[in-house]
Amino acid sequence: MVGGLGFVWGATFLFIAIALEGITPFWLAAARIGFAALLTLVVWRVWGGSLWPTAQRSWPALISVSLLSSAVPFLLLSWGQQHVTSAFAGVSMAAVALIVLPLAHVFVPGERMHLRRVLGFLIGFAGVVLLIGGQAFDSTGAALEGAGRAACLGAACCYAVSSIVMRRLPPIDPIGLSAATLLIGAGFVIPLAWAVEGPPPLPDTKTLWVLLVLGLIPTAGANLLRVLVIRSAGPVFMSLVNYQVPMWSVLLGVLVLGEAAPASLLLALALILCGVFLSQWGALLRLFGKA
């Protein structure tokens, strides 16, 4: 599931950039989360429609997860990518792993920070920076570039905090949790998009197809996988996805679009994989030991 999420999210920035050519940023986020919420709601109702399997409930935490895992970061990324390079957006998503580490140490039992884990995350992050290259920090010349970079880093913080809160939720049906987070997020994003950007625009056919893909795969499908990974393996293991996002972005560009392979590609991939194995050695032994 972690490998699948890395692949899907690695292609998401490309689709967002294409969609922004035909729709405004807030309505992009609203269309993406709105379609995904409806689709997931149908699946949830067919599955049975349960949410809290026990009497223990925490609605404030569920609302917080909904806003921080989809609504707010979608808005921040859609707006921020107008003013920053896609390379910088990739580096900012890799920072989620570094933000999660100290938060999990304090708030999640069993996720203690130790030297091997810290070294692994630092090596993996160094691989991401090497993979993206120095152009990640080049200026675009946009007047709001500083605010755009802050928005991307804010989205990374949202993903990190939501992972911690999601792990600490009481027992909850994973499909119901996925549906609830998207429904609550849509209830926040759609009115905000209308208030900020006015009535929804009528995008062209190409943009509509891109929005459908964004809603179906990296939002509805990936959101369910994210819930399953966090609830079963924890937020630190889940954060490994964010190292893969820029890696897949570069590989897809080389394999699908015929872009030139960076000279540092193999070294960067080696650093990323070494960082993953070092930081999650115990979890990987347990995972493949059961196979």
Side-chain angles (χ1 to χ4, degrees), residues 34-163:
F35 174 67
L38 290 175
L39 183 63
T40 311
L41 176 62
V42 172
V43 174
W44 181 36
R45 296 303 299 172
V46 171
W47 197 260
S50 63
L51 187 59
W52 306 102
T54 68
Q56 188 181 7
R57 302 178 180 185
S58 181
W59 290 105
L62 178 59
I63 294 172
S64 298
V65 167
S66 303
L67 296 179
L68 293 175
S69 67
S70 56
V72 177
F74 286 0
L75 290 171
L76 290 174
L77 285 174
S78 295
W79 184 85
Q81 276 196 256
Q82 298 176 111
H83 309 289
V84 303
T85 63
S86 59
F88 183 86
V91 170
S92 67
M93 291 302 99
V96 173
L98 300 180
I99 300 169
V100 163
L101 190 60
L103 291 176
H105 176 81
V106 175
F107 295 108
V108 180
E111 296 282 15
R112 308 300 293 175
M113 190 163 53
H114 47 73
L115 180 60
R116 189 186 71 235
R117 178 169 283 179
V118 173
L119 287 175
F121 275 91
L122 291 177
I123 291 171
F125 187 76
V128 170
V129 174
L130 179 63
L131 178 69
I132 298 298
Q135 71 271 18
F137 305 99
D138 290 346
S139 175
T140 62
L144 295 176
E145 182 178 22
R149 291 186 173 188
C152 291
L153 292 173
C157 290
C158 288
Y159 285 131
V161 174
S162 69
S163 296

Side-chain angles (χ1 to χ4, degrees), residues 14-30:
L14 172 64
F15 283 99
I16 291 176
I18 295 172
L20 283 172
E21 298 174 359
I23 194 170
T24 53
F26 276 36
W27 276 115
L28 166 58

Side-chain angles (χ1 to χ4, degrees), residues 196-223:
V196 173
E197 297 179 344
L202 183 61
D204 56 38
T205 303
K206 174 186 173 182
T207 304
L208 281 175
W209 279 110
V210 173
L211 292 174
L212 288 175
V213 171
L214 281 171
L216 175 62
I217 301 176
T219 307
N223 188 62

